[in-house]
Amino acid sequence: MKTIHVSVVTPDGPVYEDDVEMVSVKAKSGELGILPGHIPLVAPLEISAARLKKGGKTQYIAVSGGFLEVRPDNVTILAQAAERAEDIDVLRAKAAKERAERRLQSQQDDIDFNRAELALKRALNRLSVAEMK
């Protein structure tokens, strides 16, 4: 079966690199499925799970936004943060979720609600991906 090379990269370095049969991600414009030979494309990503299918198995990576670049034989995901399902610290993600929920429930004027909402989305995404492993 044909494959496409996938690289998931963050400012801290590479998170994932392998040849897969299909990549599924959630872009700002909607769900994208990428197969080998896909037309070139650049798209901003949502906070979501990237699904990488290889040999009948699916691997999951929690992606905190970023960009997707597709070439016919290569997919690159550039993300501010990304974690493989097996690398997610569930206790840390739960603590981040609780912290973000407390901030959102707070009535203080100095709270940046947009930032707290994004932190909550990232934590929920990490917890969701951790359950998929």
Side-chain angles (χ1 to χ4, degrees):
M1 178 167 250
K2 284 187 167 185
T3 61
I4 189 166
H5 188 76
V6 177
S7 299
V8 179
V9 184
T10 69
D12 295 330
V15 173
Y16 181 89
E17 188 128 1
D18 202 357
D19 293 328
V20 301
E21 296 156 5
M22 183 177 179
V23 178
S24 297
V25 293
K26 188 172 182 182
K28 298 272 185 188
S29 60
E31 194 77 25
L32 295 173
I34 311 296
L35 296 169
H38 197 284
I39 63 168
L41 168 75
V42 174
L45 296 175
E46 294 281 348
I47 296 171
S48 63
R51 293 173 306 286
L52 310 167
K53 296 182 182 182
K54 179 179 180 179
K57 296 182 181 177
T58 303
Q59 294 180 301
Y60 298 92
I61 299 178
V63 177
S64 295
F67 290 91
L68 169 78
E69 179 188 22
V70 179
R71 296 183 185 187
D73 59 348
N74 191 9
V75 172
T76 304
I77 295 174
L78 302 168
Q80 187 63 34
E83 291 178 271
R84 296 163 64 128
E86 59 268 17
D87 297 336
I88 293 174
D89 182 342
V90 175
L91 293 177
R92 192 170 141 248
K94 284 181 181 178
K97 174 184 172 273
E98 291 167 4
R99 200 168 40 250
E101 287 173 337
R102 278 195 309 272
R103 285 185 180 145
L104 287 170
Q105 292 171 356
S106 171
Q107 298 301 317
Q108 297 175 357
D109 291 335
D110 63 337
I111 298 295
D112 184 345
F113 286 97
N114 288 335
R115 187 172 168 198
E117 281 181 337
L118 286 173
L120 180 59
K121 284 181 184 179
R122 286 191 302 269
L124 290 172
N125 182 48
R126 292 174 64 226
L127 289 169
S128 173
V129 169
E131 290 174 1
M132 295 177 190
K133 63 180 171 184

